Amino acid sequence: MMDPFNDEYFMKQALVEARSAAEEGEVPVGAVIVCNNQIIARAHNQTERLNDPTAHAEMLAITAAVGVLGAKYLTGCSLYVTVEPCVMCAGAIGWSQLSKIVYGATDEKRGFQQYAPKALHPKATVKKGVLENECAEEMRKFFQRKR
Amino acid sequence: MMDPFNDEYFMKQALVEARSAAEEGEVPVGAVIVCNNQIIARAHNQTERLNDPTAHAEMLAITAAVGVLGAKYLTGCSLYVTVEPCVMCAGAIGWSQLSKIVYGATDEKRGFQQYAPKALHPKATVKKGVLENECAEEMRKFFQRKR
C-alpha cells in the first residue's frame, strides 16, 4: 500500500503556506514540521507583517513546534520547507536538533548549503528537490509581480 | 575629552544582561543594540524560560530593536554581544543589516567566524575581544556550576 503521508504530501502542505504568504505580500516560503506523521506546526514567512527580518517560515515553525511539544528539541521531527533554508534558519534547525530537513527549491544566493554547510546537527539528513518546480515557481511569480 | 560611550561602555551593558541570564539559570550571553550612541534594545539569552532554542540574546535584541525603530533594517546600528554570535544569530545579523558587530569572548565550538564567515552584511565591521576576559569568565563560571 502506498503511504499517503510521504515527502510530497508534506511538501504540498508547505506549499499551501507559501501561497498564503504570497497572498499577504510576503516572500512565498512555507514550512511545516512533522512528528510521527503528524503536522505539529505550520508557518509562512511574515517578515513584512511582523516587521522583523528574523520572521522566516522556518523560525516561526520551530518556535511553534517546541511550544506544541513542550520540549526544547525537535529530535525525531522533520521540517519541510519550500525553499532551501538560509544561514539563520539552518542555525536554528541545528539548535533545535531537527532530524530530517526536506526542501524544494535551491537558493543559490542565500542557501545554507553554500554558506554554512555544517550548521545542521551532524546526524540530520537532508533531502532536496521535492516538488522543486512548484516551489521555485511560487518564488518566480512573486518576484516577477514585484518588478 | 574622552568619549564615555565607547565600545567598553556598551559591552559593560551587554555584560549586565549576561549576568541577568546567569541569575536566571540561562547560558550567560547578553546583547545590546546601539543607535546614535543610544541603547535601543537589550536582551539576554532566554532559551530555558521561553523553552525555545532560537531565543538567543541577539535574536531577541534584533526583534526588539526593529520594533523600537519601526524599521525592518538596522543599518547604522551596532550590536554588542558578550560571546561571538552563532551561525543562526550571524544570519539574523546579516538580514537585519546591522553595520557594526562587537563581541567579547570567542566561541570556538559554535561561532560564526568559523562556520558561516560570510553570514554578515558585506559592509558590516566586526570587532572582537572587547572585555573578552570578563565575558569569557561569565561563561566559565556558569558551566563550572553546571558540572
Side-chain angles (χ1 to χ4, degrees):
Chain A
M1 202 180 88
M2 220 184 83
D3 180 6
F5 298 115
N6 56 17
D7 288 341
E8 289 208 359
Y9 172 81
F10 290 119
M11 189 60 82
K12 274 182 192 158
Q13 298 300 309
L15 264 168
V16 169
E17 288 294 320
R19 286 170 188 141
S20 296
E23 281 165 22
E24 296 166 12
E26 305 277 1
V27 174
V29 182
V32 300
I33 292 177
V34 174
C35 186
N36 294 330
N37 262 350
Q38 283 204 316
I39 294 176
I40 59 166
R42 50 193 311 147
H44 55 265
N45 182 29
Q46 292 201 56
T47 52
E48 298 298 328
R49 175 180 288 188
L50 299 179
N51 183 50
D52 185 345
T54 73
H56 285 194
E58 302 95 310
M59 302 298 290
L60 301 174
I62 288 169
T63 297
V66 290
V68 168
L69 293 186
K72 218 174 72 179
Y73 300 110
L74 298 171
T75 318
C77 300
S78 305
L79 169 76
Y80 293 81
V81 57
T82 57
V83 179
E84 181 183 354
C86 73
V87 170
M88 170 181 73
C89 292
I93 291 165
W95 285 117
S96 73
Q97 301 189 13
L98 274 154
S99 294
K100 177 177 165 185
I101 293 89
V102 182
Y103 66 84
T106 294
D107 183 350
E108 302 285 354
K109 278 176 69 177
R110 299 279 198 168
F112 81 98
Q113 300 251 38
Q114 185 175 345
Y115 293 101
K118 292 182 183 169
L120 307 186
H121 192 272
K123 289 187 183 163
T125 60
V126 177
K127 182 173 174 180
K128 66 179 185 173
V130 174
L131 301 184
E132 181 170 11
N133 291 342
E134 290 90 327
C135 294
E137 178 66 9
E138 286 300 317
M139 293 290 272
R140 199 192 58 72
K141 276 193 302 190
F142 180 81
F143 286 107
Q144 196 167 48
R145 273 198 303 272
K146 283 271 175 189
R147 267 181 227 129
Chain B
M1 201 180 89
M2 220 185 84
D3 180 7
F5 298 115
N6 56 16
D7 288 341
E8 288 209 359
Y9 171 81
F10 291 119
M11 188 60 83
K12 274 181 193 159
Q13 298 300 310
L15 264 169
V16 170
E17 287 294 320
R19 286 170 187 142
S20 295
E23 281 165 22
E24 296 166 12
E26 304 276 2
V27 174
V29 182
V32 300
I33 291 177
V34 175
C35 186
N36 294 329
N37 263 350
Q38 283 203 316
I39 294 176
I40 60 166
R42 50 193 311 147
H44 55 265
N45 182 28
Q46 293 202 55
T47 52
E48 298 298 328
R49 176 181 286 187
L50 299 179
N51 183 49
D52 184 345
T54 73
H56 286 195
E58 302 96 310
M59 302 298 290
L60 300 173
I62 289 170
T63 297
V66 291
V68 168
L69 293 185
K72 218 174 74 179
Y73 299 112
L74 298 171
T75 318
C77 300
S78 305
L79 170 76
Y80 293 81
V81 56
T82 56
V83 179
E84 180 183 355
C86 73
V87 169
M88 170 181 72
C89 292
I93 291 165
W95 285 116
S96 73
Q97 301 189 14
L98 274 155
S99 294
K100 178 177 165 184
I101 294 88
V102 182
Y103 65 85
T106 295
D107 184 351
E108 302 284 354
K109 279 175 69 177
R110 298 279 197 167
F112 81 98
Q113 300 251 38
Q114 185 175 346
Y115 292 102
K118 292 182 183 168
L120 306 187
H121 192 272
K123 288 186 184 163
T125 60
V126 177
K127 182 173 174 181
K128 66 179 185 174
V130 174
L131 300 184
E132 182 170 10
N133 290 342
E134 290 89 329
C135 294
E137 178 66 8
E138 286 301 318
M139 294 289 273
R140 200 191 56 73
K141 276 192 303 189
F142 181 82
F143 287 107
Q144 196 167 47
R145 273 199 303 273
K146 283 273 176 190
R147 266 181 228 128

